[in-house]
Amino acid sequence: MDTLFSLKVFRQVVECGSFTKAADKLNISNAMASKYVSHLEKSIGAKLLMRNSRSLHLTEAGSQYYRESSYALDMLDNAAEKAAGGREVPQGELKITAPLWFANDFFAAYLCEYSERYPDVSLNITLENKLSNLIAEGYDLALRVSREPNPSLIVRKLGEVHFYMVASAAYAGRYGLPEDTADLAQHRLVLPAYTAALDVLEDEAGRQVPYPMSHVMRSNNSIMIHSLIRSGAGIGFMPEWLARGSLADGSLHRVLPQYRHKGVTLYAAYTDRAYLTAKVRSFIDFIAEKSRQYIGSDTEAV
């Protein structure tokens, strides 16, 4: 028999002063109420109630057990209410994993705005290019850039992330900048190692334009790519979000701005649709809102 429900029956019997009244409140039979209390007494090895046809009262052990078990039941009820509330009101720690290139002023401003909007949520953000196991590593949510997301995850498309071809002012002054894709064969290229989607450019009409892909440096770390390009190591490719600040302050220049790379998709990935908490839902909705404003997206769960 269910011991937790037996506790609830015992408490109801004590508070009603009657098995019959307690059974009516719990929508069970009088006989079942008696069986639940008997099960509880057997499980703890003590007599809790003295009862006859006209009265019942707690034993000394039953009186103590009633006080402590009632406290435990109240604690469980409070915990359930808080857990249910967490699905309605954004609160608690939100543990997120995201790519390394999210370490930029643009995304940091997003996080600040989210934190102001939802002050009861504490953000815990891990940046890494590896695909973490959300359940095993305890993440609530992953932000991932992918062409084919893991089918075991629930994902929501947030938008397309475009890569820009850029160079530093120092590099441009020393080597000049290419005027068309064929000129890239004469330049030093710094390439990210974490995507194979950079070997084709698109013109303004959406036509694909291949170009030479020799390189002098390659890295799987977007922050390193950013630093190498800013240092004048060569022309390179960076996610538009990461490049935006350096383009604005003039430390980087667009190269071949008449072309662009076909974007890769930014997804929010999580593991459980049925019990999606308010903190996770609020963050996904927030990033989707920002993506519509600054990237342009079709946000859908798949």
Side-chain angles (χ1 to χ4, degrees):
M1 299 185 77
D2 186 337
T3 299
L4 179 59
F5 190 70
S6 297
L7 277 172
K8 294 179 179 180
V9 172
F10 169 66
R11 181 182 187 178
Q12 198 67 58
V13 168
V14 173
E15 293 178 353
C16 290
S18 163
F19 275 87
T20 302
K21 292 179 181 178
D24 287 343
K25 282 201 169 187
L26 295 171
N27 197 29
I28 59 176
S29 69
N30 195 12
M32 283 304 300
S34 181
K35 286 182 179 180
Y36 276 114
V37 172
S38 295
H39 165 73
L40 192 60
E41 290 176 327
K42 288 178 182 178
S43 67
I44 64 175
K47 191 71 171 175
L48 300 175
L49 289 169
M50 297 298 294
R51 53 194 184 273
N52 56 41
S53 59
R54 289 186 293 181
S55 66
L56 66 84
H57 62 272
L58 288 164
T59 64
E60 183 178 350
S63 181
Q64 180 179 355
Y65 191 75
Y66 167 73
R67 289 194 302 271
E68 294 181 358
S69 63
S70 294
Y71 176 75
L73 287 171
D74 287 340
M75 291 287 289
L76 287 172
D77 288 342
N78 289 336
E81 288 177 6
K82 287 182 179 179
R87 293 197 297 270
E88 301 300 327
V89 179
Q91 59 183 311
E93 183 180 66
L94 178 59
K95 191 174 180 183
I96 302 169
T97 176
L100 283 166
W101 61 266
F102 275 60
N104 60 76
D105 292 342
F106 188 74
F107 187 66
Y110 280 0
L111 298 180
C112 290
E113 184 177 343
Y114 174 85
S115 187
E116 290 174 359
R117 188 180 299 185
Y118 300 103
D120 293 331
V121 178
S122 171
L123 294 173
N124 182 346
I125 302 163
T126 299
L127 300 184
E128 53 195 354
N129 282 338
K130 75 180 184 72
L131 298 182
S132 302
N133 185 312
L134 302 191
I135 296 175
E137 299 181 44
Y139 289 111
D140 298 299
L141 176 70
L143 296 176
R144 289 183 174 168
V145 176
S146 175
R147 292 196 182 279
E148 295 182 3
N150 190 322
S152 68
L153 296 173
I154 302 164
V155 296
R156 179 173 172 183
K157 180 179 177 181
L158 299 177
E160 297 295 317
V161 177
H162 298 285
F163 282 74
Y164 282 174
M165 187 183 299
V166 294
S168 69
Y171 180 89
R174 184 174 181 182
Y175 298 103
L177 295 177
E179 295 184 2
D180 211 331
T181 54
D183 300 333
L184 287 171
Q186 310 303 317
H187 285 269
R188 303 161 61 87
L189 298 182
V190 179
L191 303 177
Y194 51 80
T195 180
L198 300 177
D199 56 348
V200 176
L201 290 168
E202 289 185 344
D203 62 18
E204 294 177 350
R207 293 185 294 263
Q208 293 189 345
V209 181
Y211 63 93
M213 281 289 289
S214 60
H215 64 277
V216 294
M217 294 187 187
R218 186 183 291 269
S219 175
N220 70 340
N221 188 310
S222 296
I223 309 303
M224 174 58 77
I225 293 287
H226 187 195
S227 296
L228 287 169
I229 296 171
R230 284 171 59 96
S231 297
I235 295 172
F237 304 91
M238 296 194 331
E240 186 269 343
W241 280 10
L242 184 58
R244 185 173 296 189
S246 295
L247 291 170
D249 66 23
S251 58
L252 291 181
H253 300 289
R254 286 284 303 273
V255 175
L256 301 178
Q258 67 271 36
Y259 300 104
R260 75 173 189 177
H261 291 285
K262 184 177 182 180
V264 290
T265 303
L266 174 64
Y267 292 100
Y270 49 99
T271 58
D272 195 334
R273 190 194 305 270
Y275 295 103
L276 188 63
T277 61
K279 62 184 178 182
V280 173
R281 188 186 305 108
S282 67
F283 192 83
I284 293 173
D285 289 344
F286 177 82
I287 296 299
E289 171 193 324
K290 293 301 175 183
S291 296
R292 287 192 297 270
Q293 292 176 8
Y294 295 105
I295 299 177
S297 66
D298 173 21
T299 56
E300 58 179 335
V302 298

